[in-house]
Each structure stands twice: as C-alpha cells, then as structure tokens.
Amino acid sequence: SMLPVGQSFMQAAQTAWKLACKQENRHFDLGKIDIRWRIDGENVNSLDGPSMGLALAISFTQALRKSFVDEKVAITGKILEDGTIQRVQKVTEKSKAALERGTKILICPENYADAERACDEKQIKPEERILQAPTLSEALPHAAGIIGGLSEYF
C-alpha cells in the first residue's frame, strides 16, 4: 500500500536524485519517470523528514550504476545539494536498531558520538562498524554490494 509522504522527505528525495545524476554525469527529468522503493518496518504509517536523504542518494546512484546497496549497510544522514552530509535526530536509537539487525556497517554524518555510544553498549568496536562520512562521494564506496536494496533501517 502507498504511504503518505511528507514535504521534507520529498525534498530529500529530489536532492538525492539530483546528486545521483550529477555523480554519474547523467540527466533524467523526475517529472518523466517513476521511482518506486520498498520500505520494510514495523508500524510505519508515513514517511517524512530528511534522515533518509543520504540513503536515497546512495541508492539512486547505485541504481544508475546498475548495482545495489549492500543489505547489511545501514545509512542515515541529511544530504545537501553540494553532497555534504549533515546530522539528523535519534542516531542512538537508529544505531542500536541497525546493530541489532546485524548491520555490518553504519554510514552516518561525521562526529557522531551517539553512534559510537550505541556500539559501546553492544560491546562492538565503533571503528569496525561506524563509517562517519562528510560527503556522498566518501560514503558511496562503502555501500556497494551485490545484493540488497534501500536501507530498511532509516
């Protein structure tokens, strides 16, 4: 079924699409194509907020490359039009949920002590699981995989 989508989520998706096209030096008019994705989660009844911007940018870029995002990669972060990744809310909760589901790497904005604390609580070395990336270009190589889809965590 279709979920209601908020304005800030739509802005994040549009920014992510523009960045993916720029990253791959391609152009597609969003008004002429449909983009569909599946969001798995419990009690999800709407989508809004910028937190999925980085996940969308990585997923769209990988789709243009005819590749995928590794399903064991969790991604969160607001993406700006210049490709810079910004902080988002509830990183501790998101990190804990991702780690509980067997995430092998969490890509998030730089300087995120909240993600490191979630690792500490799970007795996991943050340097083994957390990639703090300042830009889309730096995050992309760590998300590539053979099988997968959009991050189901964020």
Side-chain angles (χ1 to χ4, degrees):
S1 67
M2 300 288 283
L3 293 174
V5 176
Q7 185 63 33
S8 62
F9 178 84
M10 286 302 298
Q11 288 173 337
Q14 290 169 346
T15 298
W17 181 250
K18 288 176 189 174
L19 283 167
C21 288
K22 182 178 179 183
Q23 187 77 30
E24 295 304 298
N25 198 24
R26 308 211 17 219
H27 174 76
F28 294 97
D29 183 353
L30 269 179
K32 295 183 179 179
I33 61 172
D34 286 333
I35 298 174
R36 298 172 190 252
W37 59 85
R38 188 184 81 200
I39 306 290
D40 293 329
E42 296 175 18
N43 303 318
V44 177
N45 51 20
S46 68
L47 294 173
D48 201 9
S51 295
M52 207 165 145
L54 176 60
L56 291 170
I58 289 172
S59 296
F60 293 159
T61 302
Q62 290 300 96
L64 290 172
R65 293 176 177 176
K66 297 187 177 168
S67 186
F68 300 92
V69 176
D70 186 319
E71 63 188 17
K72 293 293 185 180
V73 173
I75 305 164
T76 191
K78 177 181 179 178
I79 192 95
L80 300 181
E81 289 195 19
D82 66 357
T84 303
I85 304 167
Q86 286 195 326
R87 293 176 175 242
V88 292
Q89 297 178 357
K90 299 184 180 181
V91 171
T92 301
E93 295 87 344
K94 292 172 183 180
S95 300
K96 284 181 187 178
L99 293 168
E100 286 172 6
R101 296 187 121 180
T103 294
K104 67 180 182 183
I105 188 167
L106 169 65
I107 301 173
C108 64
E110 278 192 302
N111 302 319
Y112 242 128
D114 294 344
E116 292 174 355
R117 275 194 293 280
C119 281
D120 290 342
E121 289 179 23
K122 299 277 180 200
Q123 298 180 337
I124 296 169
K125 294 179 183 175
E127 61 274 11
E128 293 176 358
R129 296 283 187 90
I130 306 293
L131 171 70
Q132 297 183 11
T135 66
L136 173 62
S137 296
E138 291 185 45
L140 271 167
H142 301 280
I146 297 169
I147 331 174
L150 284 176
S151 168
E152 62 185 81
Y153 308 111
F154 306 105

